[in-house]
Amino acid sequence: MPIKSYLAYPKEGWGELLAEKLAALPGCSVEPAENRELLILITDTPEEASDQALEQRLLAIPELDGLALVAAYAEEEIG
Amino acid sequence: MTRREALRSMAAAAAVTAASQLAPGVAFAAGTPKTLSAEGLTWKKTPCRFCGTGCGLLIGIKDNRAVAVKGDPASAVNKGLCCVKGYHSVIALYGKDRLTRAYVRNNGQLIPVPIGEALDLVASKLKETIDKHGKNAAGIYGSGQWTIPDGYVASKLFKGAIGTNNVEANARLCMASAVTGFMTTFGLDEPMGCYEDIDHADVFVLWGNNMAEMHPVLFSRMLDRRLRNAHVKIVDLATRWTRTSMAADRSILFQPNADLALANAIAYEMIRNQWIHRTFLDRHVSFHEGKTNIGYGTQDKFQFTDENRNITFNEYVKRLEEYTPDKVEKISGVPARDIRYLASLYGDPGKKVVSYWCMGMNQHVRGTWIQNLVYNLHLLTGKISQPGNGPFSLTGQPSACGTVREAGTLTHRLPHGDVTNEADRKMAARIWGVPVENIQPKPGLHTVEMFRALDRGDLRFLWIQVTNPMVTMPKLKRYREGARKEGRFVVVSDVYPTPTTDIADVILPSAMWIEREGMFGNSERRTQHWEQMLKPPGDAMSDTWQLIEVARRMGLGKHFNWTYENHIPEIWKEYTSFHHDPKHEMATYQALRENPGVMWPCPGGRETKWRYNARYDPAAKSVNGDPIDFYGKPDRRAWIWFRPWEPAAEEPDAEFPFWLNTGRVVEHWHTGSMTRRIPILHKAVPNAYVELHPMDARKLGIRNGDRVRLTSRRGALTLPAQIDGRGRPQEGHVFVPFFDEAILINELTLDAFCPISKQPDYKKCAVQVERA
């Protein structure tokens, strides 16, 4: 499932650091909201195994309070 | 832009939209893809292909391929938001096994043939059936996914030109009880309110409706309303704990069929506390009762006709004495204090209340009754036909309202009125240009009886379009075997192979959704048009045009004398001529092309948001400043029906000790024939499963993922267990979704139906549960 978008919620006060940590991960791009503690995370990975590995790394970030999947496209859909 | 970049941009745009719904006013830096780059793409509007919500979508087209989807911000329905099915909807166009050629069965094998040859065969077999066995040996079975032109042409061909009323749609399985509920209480079909009620209500009561999964965009709007207004409450009444229950302020679980008793107890409690609107009742309501012990329709050729007896308010109150909260606690399992709480919500004059429901109340052996009883709560309090106050029956399919209810594709209906009404028959005959004698004055076969007739041999020719009854019919084995019997001829028009194409003698490949022009009508009386955006693959052809081609081959072409280029606007013009009336005036073709959707009635081009209220509805007449006018009934009153609690058709016993409930999941549309071809949705929920309560699982030695055997009096199947997944049934209950053609749960269900609406009950039968 190589392309996904998430809403990422930081723990209170940790939005900036969370954005930095997410942006540093391979295949991740981040758009922080300008006026809310909320980030948009786009992940683009080559195949399902690396997607799952990335998801585990995301969930281990201590500044992350919650992650909500919005859209996802599997390799077959990308064609 | 590469496809990968387009999908990344779509994913980002979806997240921005979701963020703006969850955190209103949220802002992102300039350059964040609020919308996709327009480079190389042409964007066209359409309603979503899937549920009855009617979300507006914008489809990005490039090189005759749909490559992107986004929510239409101009749509009043979804305001730019979509659910997971909507965002992935166009991928369903491109499954590897898409039907692109016609097939004809020859010596048991389906052989590909040119579509013209297949259409010749369909026309000759239809004629041959009529010649040998009579007009009523033929029929057509469509769906709430038929576009309005599909359904209109099917009705005109079969009811008008051929002369049989054997025209049905799978909406019989979906919302027939909502129709009979509206008709018996108000005399006119479809909700009085609209989705804008969400922006005004203080309390939402959901009656057996898992909106978080089945109507997720409307549920998001409700959550947004609550987020902005702390006093807003959501109450979930259900037989199973779901994602909706989790998000609700209060989850109240009741025993199957006991919603009848529960609604009566709420009414009892409101009257006892004088939380009712006496002036409203005096001016706008009359009281009635009908037959009781009305049966379940499980035998062939079951007949039922209700009767109306007028009663007084005091007689109505007397009958409710059987439904005190304490008595109903014993029937329903709902604590009396929760019943009183519900009465206090409905009865509080300072609170605006909306009731929502869908399959829980519709697929019910007393489906008509429970609709009447929920209407009663709104009528007793006068909380109806105003912004934020009203009962609202949601639909499950994109055009259950537009095609089935409005264009009249149930056996007893015409585009205007009923076949039993001489004036309605005359109107149809005049507009269709057929002798009035062609239109039979009696309804034909309703859905369950249609498949029973196929089994018995009373029906010999059946054309099935855009639906999958060999997955969805209850007590499936009988109807599958019946359809395969010698001497039956079954035509199936579809976009993918399904268990229904497996029984076909002819398969016609259909153009899908945006591969043809069409209109849908959603739950809130909103008609939505889309243009043809893509060329259909191979020989695929719209269901409308298939019908016209067959009509021409049968020598009935003069009734369908349109060109391919003009047939949709011409059909719309002809169809809407049935509705030149302030109570049902439809939008013009031009208005539909220019807008994401238009709600009827719209006399003079003005939409009506709340019917029966002269402040909003030009058809309603205000009397002495009182704007309410229930003009659907001859007495211009809404009818409060006393309806008793009666048990389900089949209840758990020593041999079959569990209740079986069936339904959907958010990822899959109905039988999964399209959504299971969308890889991300298929991977999310690849197969059906059985939900059990953890205490039952422990008693039976079943763990998550174990194989479980379910057995009913009609069949058995084995499937994996799910414990504390997305839903939790009550103890003694199990739940199975029906989308999986490899795990056909309808082998087990019962073909009992509401005797008034003839809609089957998929929510209640008895099963054994054991570890396999």
Side-chain angles (χ1 to χ4, degrees), chain B residues 571 673 758:
Chain B
I571 289 168
S673 61
K758 319 294 189 287

Side-chain angles (χ1 to χ4, degrees), chain B residues 11 85 139 222 246 294 344 389 400-401 460 467 488 497 546 618 655 754 757 761:
Chain B
K85 290 191 294 296
M222 253 166 51
M246 185 167 64
I294 61 177
S344 75
N389 266 327
C401 284
R460 296 290 180 139
T467 187
R488 312 317 186 254
Q546 290 174 14
E655 193 181 356
C754 167
S757 70
D761 188 333

Side-chain angles (χ1 to χ4, degrees), chain B residues 464-712:
Chain B
I464 298 166
Q465 288 194 321
V466 69
T467 187
N468 193 3
M470 292 301 113
V471 176
T472 55
M473 286 301 293
K475 198 178 172 180
L476 186 54
K477 183 167 177 277
R478 174 181 178 190
Y479 302 120
R480 185 176 53 243
E481 290 177 355
R484 282 181 165 150
K485 281 182 178 170
E486 194 64 30
R488 312 317 186 254
F489 195 84
V490 178
V491 181
V492 178
S493 303
D494 213 327
V495 296
Y496 286 111
T498 67
T500 304
T501 59
D502 288 348
I503 58 135
D505 296 288
V506 173
I507 300 173
L508 298 174
S510 292
M512 189 174 164
W513 180 38
I514 53 175
E515 294 166 349
R516 43 78 53 88
E517 184 181 6
M519 296 93 168
F520 285 154
N522 79 348
S523 292
E524 61 168 354
R525 297 175 277 108
R526 184 181 297 278
T527 315
Q528 295 159 292
H529 168 271
W530 69 94
E531 62 180 271
Q532 181 176 348
M533 303 178 201
L534 304 168
K535 264 181 66 181
D539 280 351
M541 181 186 283
S542 78
D543 292 348
T544 306
W545 202 252
Q546 290 174 14
L547 288 156
I548 292 170
E549 288 285 344
V550 168
R552 287 175 178 169
R553 284 162 166 79
M554 294 177 71
L556 300 169
K558 66 177 180 181
H559 302 296
F560 307 92
N561 195 18
W562 308 305
T563 65
Y564 185 80
E565 288 68 32
N566 76 6
H567 73 293
I568 299 294
E570 287 299 317
I571 289 168
W572 185 254
K573 195 167 140 195
E574 184 178 301
Y575 161 55
T576 52
S577 68
F578 280 90
H579 294 299
H580 289 320
D581 173 337
K583 295 174 185 171
H584 208 301
E585 185 79 44
M586 308 294 289
T588 62
Y589 178 72
Q590 194 59 29
L592 291 178
R593 285 192 71 91
E594 289 167 0
N595 292 283
V598 182
M599 278 191 285
W600 64 265
C602 57
R606 182 171 163 260
E607 291 185 318
T608 301
K609 291 185 178 176
W610 290 277
R611 292 157 91 198
Y612 310 130
N613 183 332
R615 289 188 187 125
Y616 310 98
D617 179 355
K621 292 189 175 69
S622 182
V623 176
N624 298 326
D626 184 341
I628 298 296
D629 175 14
F630 292 113
Y631 52 74
K633 289 283 193 187
D635 61 359
R636 296 187 97 91
R637 286 169 179 261
W639 289 17
I640 281 186
W641 287 87
F642 171 74
R643 304 290 199 184
W645 167 77
E646 288 183 2
E650 181 179 81
E651 297 200 337
D653 56 19
E655 193 181 356
F656 297 93
F658 281 80
W659 284 106
L660 169 65
N661 176 15
T662 69
R664 292 206 292 116
V665 293
V666 65
E667 291 84 355
H668 289 299
W669 169 248
H670 277 196
T671 62
S673 61
M674 289 174 282
T675 48
R676 295 185 88 204
R677 287 167 170 96
I678 299 173
I680 192 77
L681 300 181
H682 177 55
K683 284 180 182 174
V685 189
N687 56 268
Y689 50 82
V690 53
E691 288 179 358
L692 293 111
H693 189 279
M695 291 301 289
D696 289 326
R698 188 182 303 172
K699 280 182 217 161
L700 295 165
I702 294 168
R703 289 172 304 177
N704 223 351
D706 282 352
R707 305 288 294 168
V708 173
R709 185 169 175 79
L710 299 184
T711 308
S712 78

Side-chain angles (χ1 to χ4, degrees), chain B residues 22 218-228 234 247:
Chain B
L22 291 167
L218 297 180
F219 195 66
S220 298
R221 285 184 59 177
M222 253 166 51
L223 294 182
D224 181 41
R225 165 82 180 151
R226 187 178 63 178
L227 196 66
R228 296 174 199 227
I234 300 171

